[in-house]
């Protein structure tokens, strides 16, 4: 199991803790087996009234036989599965099932080598098991208008695989409530120069559905001090503490000499962070009001991420660029369907090339939920583009 975990992460530091674009030329899809639910982390909100559908054990022999030659391979890790997508040009993505956590995206560079773009860390969980955090994860909660439903999808079924190793590979995961009233398709597409994460959500209930949360991406950097966000000038934002998520890496508490500190706490998604504090990240920023939140205007088009920050942008461009001067590379991050963008940096106090040398970007619905009318289908997603070929 240790070797398998090492293979899916770019840098595995096992540390004890104290407590959208569619694929091109997609071939005919195949259907594969379902998966056992993974162990759930403790959460600070009540159990949802609606449960996900149960899953059957995975048949690895079937997966290897059925999907050989599509550029996807599988490896068993306890009750979990590692799915590896690899293109001929050297692009590689690894994903864990049934959690749907994307743990690695190795992208080819102009100089002929490959660079890891995502940041993932392994530490020891409360019961001695491996706790994997970072990467690209889904963190969503669904609420019905009648208050009788609260659902956070966590276990995913591998439904289809299409494409080929020459051009693009598409993996489709599905999830639904036990009454089949809410259905989600999670489509991950690896292209020669991009990794796309797309959602298709259907509401078969007779009442509107409220969705909050984000597609959260941990991007690895040499250090936040050497990292810049390009293209956010004139965007409105408000400052919020880091929200709680099973896969969110919590920065070290600078006020504690030992341990990794306490995870920054927040209220449940359904409470939508009403008690978050507000701190301006730009002196002299123009202050505005939006939905009773104190809003600032981004004045810097070349924003250095050396300060500890946790921001929600309400009208940011559909795409922007992250430049890491230490690693001498860049990545473009874009979205569709989402109106908000989340940006987090642990600040320059973290050690370079360490567990906390990363920034987070999230395509989000945090301040304002996304509403799905009855019988409605919503689509949205994120793309991570590698411009360095």
């Amino acid at each position: 199991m240790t070797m398998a975990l090492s293979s899916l992460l770019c840098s595995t530091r096992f540390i004890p803790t104290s407590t959208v674009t569619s694929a091109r030329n997609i071939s005919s899809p195949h259907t594969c087996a379902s998966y056992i639910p993974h162990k759930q982390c403790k959460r600070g909100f009540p159990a949802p009234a609606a449960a996900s559908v149960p899953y059957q054990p995975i048949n690895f022999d079937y997966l290897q036989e059925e999907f050989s030659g599509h550029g996807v391979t599988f490896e068993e890790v306890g009750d979990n599965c590692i799915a590896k997508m690899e293109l001929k040009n050297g692009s590689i993505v690894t994903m864990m099932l049934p959690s749907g956590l994307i743990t690695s995206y190795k992208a080819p560079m102009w100089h002929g080598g490959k660079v890891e773009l995502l940041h993932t860390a392994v530490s020891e969980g409360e019961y001695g098991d491996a706790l994997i955090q970072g990467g690209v994860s889904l963190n969503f909660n669904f609420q019905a208008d009648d208050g009788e439903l609260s659902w956070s999808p966590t276990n995913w079924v591998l439904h289809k695989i299409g494409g080929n190793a020459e051009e693009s590979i598409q993996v489709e995961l599905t999830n639904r409530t036990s009454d089949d009233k809410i259905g989600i398709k999670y489509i991950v597409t690896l292209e020669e120069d991009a990794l796309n994460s797309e959602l298709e959500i259907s509401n078969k209930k007779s009442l509107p559905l409220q969705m909050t949360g984000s597609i959260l991406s941990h991007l690895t950097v040499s250090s936040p001090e050497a990292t810049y966000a390009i293209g956010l000038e004139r965007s409105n934002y408000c400052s919020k503490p880091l929200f709680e998520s099973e896969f969110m890496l919590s920065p070290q508490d600078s006020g504690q000499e030992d341990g990794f500190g306490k995870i920054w706490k927040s209220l449940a998604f359904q409470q939508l962070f009403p008690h978050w504090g507000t701190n301006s990240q730009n002196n002299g920023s123009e202050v505005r009001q939006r939905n009773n939140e104190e809003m600032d205007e981004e004045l810097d088009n070349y924003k250095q991420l050396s300060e500890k920050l946790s921001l929600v942008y309400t009208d940011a461009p559909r795409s922007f660029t992250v430049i890491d001067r230490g690693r001498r590379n860049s990545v473009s991050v874009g979205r569709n369907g989402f109106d908000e963008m989340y940006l987090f940096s642990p600040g320059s106090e973290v050690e370079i090339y360490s567990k906390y040398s990363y920034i987070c970007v999230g395509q989000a619905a945090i301040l304002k939920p996304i509403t799905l009318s009855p019988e409605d289908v919503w689509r949205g997603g994120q793309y991570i583009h590698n411009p360095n070929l």
Side-chain angles (χ1 to χ4, degrees):
M1 178 174 176
T2 302
M3 294 180 63
L5 290 174
S6 299
S7 68
L8 70 101
L9 304 175
C10 63
S11 177
T12 53
R13 299 176 177 86
F14 197 80
I15 308 170
T17 57
S18 57
T19 24
V20 190
T21 47
S22 300
R24 298 182 294 270
N25 300 326
I26 297 299
S27 61
S28 299
H30 297 267
T31 303
C32 73
S34 303
Y35 300 94
I36 301 174
H38 69 300
K39 183 181 296 183
Q40 299 296 310
C41 293
K42 295 182 179 179
R43 296 180 180 272
F45 50 86
S52 298
V53 295
Y55 303 107
Q56 301 298 319
I58 186 172
N59 187 331
F60 288 95
D61 293 336
Y62 167 76
L63 291 180
Q64 293 289 3
E65 179 180 352
E66 183 68 15
F67 298 105
S68 177
H70 286 270
V72 182
T73 57
F74 300 90
E75 184 175 355
E76 184 178 10
V77 183
D79 290 338
N80 298 280
C81 168
I82 297 172
K84 182 178 180 181
M85 309 161 62
E86 185 170 4
L87 294 178
K88 295 293 186 182
N89 79 328
S91 297
I92 302 174
V93 164
T94 56
M95 173 190 289
M96 293 201 71
L97 299 172
S99 66
L101 175 67
I102 300 175
T103 58
S104 176
Y105 174 27
K106 292 185 174 67
M109 296 289 127
W110 59 270
H111 49 66
K114 285 184 288 190
V115 171
E116 177 62 60
L117 299 183
L118 300 182
H119 190 85
T120 311
V122 179
S123 56
E124 185 177 340
E126 183 178 357
Y127 302 103
D129 54 338
L131 179 63
I132 303 174
Q133 295 175 301
V136 179
S137 63
L138 303 182
N139 308 272
F140 290 98
N141 179 260
F142 296 87
Q143 296 272 347
D145 274 4
D146 58 8
E148 294 183 0
L149 170 73
S150 177
W151 181 57
S152 297
T154 54
N155 296 288
W156 298 87
V157 173
L158 179 56
H159 181 58
K160 295 179 182 178
I161 290 183
N164 56 72
E166 283 73 29
E167 295 182 346
S168 65
I169 302 169
Q170 187 176 84
V171 173
E172 180 179 315
L173 309 180
T174 60
N175 205 326
R176 59 186 174 88
T177 54
S178 56
D179 61 2
D180 205 25
K181 294 297 185 180
I182 305 175
I184 307 178
K185 293 181 181 179
Y186 178 30
I187 303 168
V188 178
T189 305
L190 175 62
E191 299 182 340
E192 292 186 340
D193 60 353
L195 171 62
N196 308 316
S197 302
E198 299 170 287
L199 291 173
E200 180 180 307
I201 303 170
S202 58
N203 177 24
K204 297 181 181 179
K205 294 180 65 65
S206 59
L207 295 173
L209 192 66
Q210 304 287 326
M211 180 181 79
T212 56
S214 71
I215 302 176
L216 191 64
S217 299
H218 294 67
L219 304 179
T220 190
V221 297
S222 58
S223 71
E225 188 171 13
T227 305
Y228 298 79
I230 313 300
L232 297 178
E233 186 178 13
R234 302 186 65 83
S235 301
N236 291 336
Y237 69 88
C238 62
S239 180
K240 298 290 188 180
L242 179 67
F243 62 84
E244 184 180 274
S245 166
E246 178 180 356
F247 300 112
M248 181 75 185
L249 269 174
S250 175
Q252 187 172 3
D253 187 348
S254 59
Q256 296 185 6
E257 295 181 359
D258 298 318
F260 290 105
K262 297 180 180 179
I263 296 178
W264 294 357
K265 298 296 183 181
S266 73
L267 300 179
F269 275 119
Q270 59 265 34
Q271 294 174 322
L272 287 178
F273 323 111
H275 300 118
W276 278 2
T278 303
N279 299 309
S280 174
Q281 300 295 331
N282 284 299
N283 294 329
S285 296
E286 296 181 18
V287 179
R288 292 186 174 90
Q289 296 292 327
R290 180 182 182 270
N291 294 336
N292 297 322
E293 298 287 346
E294 187 176 351
M295 306 301 294
D296 293 344
E297 181 178 294
E298 182 61 70
L299 302 180
D300 195 349
N301 197 49
Y302 198 77
K303 184 180 184 67
Q304 187 176 17
L305 303 182
S306 56
E307 299 295 327
K308 181 181 290 186
L309 53 84
S310 181
L311 310 176
V312 177
Y313 287 83
T314 59
D315 56 358
R318 286 295 170 180
S319 65
F320 72 103
T321 300
V322 176
I323 294 179
D324 181 359
R325 297 179 64 180
R327 286 163 34 114
R328 298 183 180 180
N329 75 309
S330 62
V331 61
S332 298
V333 183
R335 73 187 189 278
N336 61 77
F338 292 96
D339 292 329
E340 300 170 1
M341 188 272 290
Y342 176 72
L343 179 63
F344 170 80
S345 171
S348 60
E349 294 182 1
V350 301
E351 183 180 353
I352 63 173
Y353 296 103
S354 68
K355 177 180 180 180
Y356 300 111
S357 294
Y358 70 93
I359 66 164
C360 277
V361 177
Q363 316 313 323
I366 297 176
L367 301 179
K368 182 180 179 181
I370 293 173
T371 301
L372 282 77
S373 300
E375 303 300 326
D376 195 10
V377 176
W378 178 89
R379 294 176 178 86
Q382 168 190 267
Y383 66 83
I384 300 175
H385 172 63
N386 169 30
N388 303 293
L389 287 176

